[in-house]
Amino acid sequence: MESHDEIEAALRGQGHIWKLMYAFADSMALKCAVQLRIPDIIHSHGGGPVTLAQIASRIPSPSPGTTYLARIMRLLVRKNIFSAHRGQPNGGHESHETLYSLTPSSRWLLQGPGSELSLAPMVLMEHQPLLMSPWHYLSDCIKTGGVAFEMVHGRKIWDFASENPEFNRLFNDGMACTSRISVGAIVEVYKDGFESIGSLVDVGGGIGTALIEIIKAYPHIQGINFDLPHVVTTALAHDGITHVGGDMFETIPHADAVFMK
């Protein structure tokens, strides 16, 4: 006969499986909030507190489903993306309705002016159906050693991006947003390394976001942003940076140093 501790451990194990089974709901709710720009709506009200009706009124739809919105908000409050408390919209203390505010997490999801350091593009990229579908093929990867994206779409991701401009834009925007965050931290502490070089090639530099952050801090550097031709055709123009298209597995442009993120 099982002991009390064994029964409790078994039930906790079952609960853990249920939690993992529905973990996708958290990321889907996060994507929903970004798509509807809920963080920006709350931000436009000073970061909160705002009512559900105020949020719904700014969603571009003639008849938003407030019941669904309330459930999404309840989940995201539970996950600390938003905060919530009972009160009156005018600041009164009597419990009236749920009021929502931004948290340090949701501020990373802002997309408006002044929100250059945002993870919203990465959220949209990672949860795009074309990039989500390969995750269903992990077992096939183990069985065959193949690449999941190629199993689903029949070509390498780079070839797929070159044939699909919207997917290419979404992917590049996602990469760019992470570059602004990570390279900003690198530039702040890795001073001696950048000061001692005159030219720098960023291999696989995407649309040039990482290199732009470096050149802003060290304008004496001549930058070369190197990536596939279909990528650099949409690269950002910036003084001191030359965009070069090519294949890094064949050759890369010469420079004093190579940067790879």
Side-chain angles (χ1 to χ4, degrees):
M1 185 174 180
E2 290 183 303
S3 68
H4 174 78
D5 289 343
E6 289 173 330
I7 294 173
E8 183 175 353
L11 290 174
R12 288 183 180 277
Q14 180 190 161
H16 185 60
I17 296 300
W18 281 104
K19 183 178 180 180
L20 289 175
M21 197 184 333
Y22 286 103
F24 70 90
D26 297 341
S27 59
M28 290 298 101
L30 186 68
K31 176 188 177 182
C32 172
V34 172
Q35 286 180 314
L36 297 177
R37 302 193 68 153
I38 294 175
D40 291 290
I41 293 173
I42 299 176
H43 183 67
S44 70
H45 288 273
V50 297
T51 65
L52 193 72
Q54 287 175 310
I55 296 172
S57 69
R58 296 286 298 277
I59 292 174
S61 169
S63 56
T66 54
T67 301
Y68 293 118
L69 176 61
R71 295 174 72 179
I72 290 292
M73 294 301 293
R74 185 163 66 246
L75 173 57
L76 292 176
V77 167
R78 179 72 175 175
K79 297 300 177 179
N80 298 315
I81 300 300
F82 302 112
S83 64
H85 69 275
R86 291 279 184 177
Q88 292 181 328
N90 61 8
H93 297 291
E94 181 183 349
S95 178
H96 183 59
E97 60 183 312
T98 302
L99 303 175
Y100 301 95
S101 300
L102 296 178
T103 66
S105 295
S106 47
R107 292 185 184 278
W108 283 97
L109 302 175
L110 296 174
Q111 303 176 69
S115 304
E116 287 76 17
L117 295 182
S118 171
L119 285 171
M122 193 66 171
V123 171
L124 295 176
M125 184 204 87
E126 289 289 1
H127 297 91
Q128 211 276 352
L130 291 168
L131 282 177
M132 289 293 291
S133 53
W135 287 97
H136 294 279
Y137 286 74
L138 286 179
S139 58
D140 295 272
C141 291
I142 294 173
K143 291 176 182 177
T144 67
V147 178
F149 189 93
E150 295 171 22
M151 291 178 183
V152 179
H153 301 296
R155 57 184 70 83
K156 297 180 184 296
I157 189 172
W158 318 116
D159 296 331
F160 188 91
S162 69
E163 301 163 2
N164 296 270
E166 179 58 25
F167 178 83
N168 184 52
R169 181 199 63 77
L170 188 73
F171 185 86
N172 290 334
D173 286 350
M175 295 294 98
C177 84
T178 61
S179 290
R180 292 188 187 96
I181 296 169
S182 59
V183 176
I186 292 171
V187 167
E188 185 176 344
V189 299
Y190 190 59
K191 301 183 185 300
D192 294 341
F194 291 119
E195 289 172 349
S196 63
I197 60 174
S199 60
L200 177 68
V201 56
D202 186 355
V203 178
I207 58 176
T209 307
L211 200 54
I212 287 174
E213 295 302 312
I214 295 172
I215 300 301
K216 281 181 181 178
Y218 300 93
H220 72 277
I221 295 177
Q222 292 298 308
I224 302 171
N225 181 54
F226 182 68
D227 212 311
L228 293 167
H230 75 269
V231 177
V232 297
T233 56
T234 60
L236 306 168
H238 193 277
D239 290 341
I241 296 178
T242 302
H243 300 288
V244 178
D247 185 345
M248 69 178 181
F249 294 107
E250 295 179 359
T251 184
I252 64 173
H254 176 75
D256 293 338
V258 171
F259 181 83
M260 294 187 74
K261 170 182 169 290

